[in-house]
Amino acid sequence: MKFLSAVWCDLLLANYEVDPGVLQPFVPARTSLDDFEGRHYVSLVAFRFEKTSVVGVPALFHRRFEEANLRFYVKPDRDPSLRAVTFIKEIVPSRIIPLVANNLFDENYVRLPMSHGVDEQSCWYAWGDQQSQHF
């Protein structure tokens, strides 16, 4: 049985080339930085979780919410043909998600107020006290 299931809606993804030295302090043990044609990237991803369930049970009070995360890509040393994602920071509007995810799964969640907007021509996300950080 899956631990977590959800539908991702209104996904925004921005990839930025970065110096690998910037990412090196965040590389988990027994992995190495992944690259694409010799370049290293960090991704800013924002989306809405919908229909969220934990071990098949609808997540009470957490069925739908925004998330934004900053991530990069690594390869396990045991099998460099595999690819994985490492999260530098994950932002959600809930207090319980960081509490559970950070303590049980060693994640990097923080709670910040969030909002989003979607229409026929655009999609945006905002987070922080002033919610001035639009993406």
Side-chain angles (χ1 to χ4, degrees), residues 8-121:
W8 285 14
C9 298
D10 302 319
L11 176 70
L12 293 176
L13 173 66
N15 295 306
Y16 301 94
E17 184 177 358
V18 297
D19 182 304
V22 172
L23 298 175
Q24 200 60 50
F26 301 100
V27 174
R30 298 180 301 283
T31 68
S32 58
L33 281 173
D34 195 3
D35 66 85
F36 180 73
E37 298 179 352
R39 297 177 173 178
H40 297 85
Y41 292 90
V42 65
S43 297
L44 180 59
V45 181
F47 58 94
R48 289 183 305 109
F49 271 101
E50 293 280 341
K51 301 179 184 176
T52 307
S53 295
V54 178
V55 293
V57 177
L60 190 61
F61 305 115
H62 293 86
R63 294 280 289 160
R64 52 188 349 199
F65 58 92
E66 299 100 339
E67 176 172 327
N69 62 61
L70 185 64
R71 60 171 72 184
F72 66 98
Y73 309 92
V74 295
K75 303 179 282 192
D77 293 341
R78 64 178 161 70
D79 186 350
S81 68
L82 297 176
R83 300 295 188 262
V85 174
T86 297
F87 294 97
I88 295 173
K89 190 65 66 185
E90 298 168 271
I91 304 166
V92 291
S94 164
R95 284 183 169 78
I96 191 74
I97 293 169
L99 180 70
V100 171
N102 295 350
N103 288 303
L104 295 181
F105 303 108
D106 198 29
E107 294 286 343
N108 295 310
Y109 276 95
V110 295
R111 185 251 175 231
L112 290 173
M114 294 187 74
S115 60
H116 72 280
V118 180
D119 61 33
E120 299 82 32
Q121 298 180 10

